[in-house]
Amino acid sequence: CYFAMLANVDDNVGRLMKFLDESGLAGNTIFVFTTDHGEMLASQGRYNKMVPYAEAVDIPLIVRWPKRIGAGVKSDVLYTPMDHLPTLASLCSLPIPSIVNGMNLSQAVLGRKGHERDAALMMNYVSHWDYPETNTEWPEWRGIRTKQHTYVKWLNGAEELYDNLADPLQMRNLFDGRRAPEV
């Protein structure tokens, strides 16, 4: 079912791209594709999201604007959802409201060097979606992610530290070797 839903998304994003290209609107349209989380899909023996591992927190972000962004431009900046508003406002030459907490990462989107964050905070602070019915609890955690490291502290006291460059699958906990609580 999950893979069928992904195939459907893929097909329909393709239809949107085709329409924009054939209608002549692509050159003047900023198309953004992203999601809210990844899925573990049995990586590290887990199926649930709500964990601090790369498969769950490294989410796709595709920005297409043929008039200004070259094909194949990639960036490794730490981009968060709160960066959408300032980044897109800047790309559209609109003023960025002073109350916005995100960063303008339009230079990275355009494939240029620019100001970027050193780290991103991340966390799981909620109970399971059906907690009122089942009392299922998700283990809570707080973490920080840099390009090189991910550090996590679970509310039960367990800690994890990964070198994302040397260990991209995050299999070696450099903190003490223990893994997170089972979900």
Side-chain angles (χ1 to χ4, degrees):
C1 181
Y2 183 78
F3 290 110
M5 289 187 293
L6 288 178
N8 183 37
V9 169
D10 189 52
D11 290 345
N12 283 295
V13 167
R15 289 177 57 213
L16 284 168
M17 296 294 95
K18 183 178 179 184
F19 170 79
L20 290 171
D21 290 341
E22 291 177 354
S23 68
L25 296 171
N28 199 29
T29 301
I30 301 172
F31 181 87
V32 178
F33 179 86
T34 191
T35 183
D36 61 341
H37 60 79
E39 296 288 343
M40 293 303 289
L41 297 175
S43 179
Q44 301 186 32
R46 294 173 178 269
Y47 290 90
N48 293 323
K49 53 193 176 201
M50 311 303 273
V51 291
Y53 308 119
E55 295 86 350
V57 300
D58 290 350
I59 60 174
L61 173 63
I62 300 169
V63 182
R64 182 179 186 249
W65 191 12
K67 208 179 224 183
R68 301 267 319 270
I69 303 171
V73 169
K74 292 183 180 182
S75 173
D76 67 348
V77 299
L78 295 171
Y79 191 105
T80 71
M82 66 185 176
D83 301 325
H84 290 315
L85 190 148
T87 299
L88 292 171
S90 177
L91 290 172
C92 294
S93 300
L94 296 171
I96 300 169
S98 61
I99 62 169
V100 170
N101 289 320
M103 290 182 68
N104 173 7
L105 298 174
S106 59
Q107 294 301 314
V109 170
L110 295 169
R112 303 180 193 139
K113 292 285 183 193
H115 187 65
E116 62 181 274
R117 70 174 40 80
D118 296 325
L121 299 175
M122 52 186 197
M123 68 179 84
N124 178 46
Y125 54 89
V126 297
S127 294
H128 193 268
W129 60 270
D130 69 349
Y131 180 81
E133 296 174 20
T134 67
N135 291 325
T136 302
E137 293 186 12
W138 287 108
E140 292 187 45
W141 53 269
R142 310 295 186 264
I144 188 163
R145 171 81 182 250
T146 68
K147 288 181 183 181
Q148 180 155 5
H149 293 99
T150 298
Y151 169 77
V152 178
K153 181 154 186 172
W154 297 80
L155 265 54
N156 74 355
E159 294 178 80
E160 297 181 62
L161 174 65
Y162 297 98
D163 183 328
N164 301 320
L165 302 179
D167 180 21
L169 298 177
Q170 298 175 323
M171 300 305 292
R172 271 188 328 275
N173 180 1
L174 300 174
F175 188 78
D176 64 8
R178 292 185 299 145
R179 297 298 296 186
E182 291 301 318
V183 180

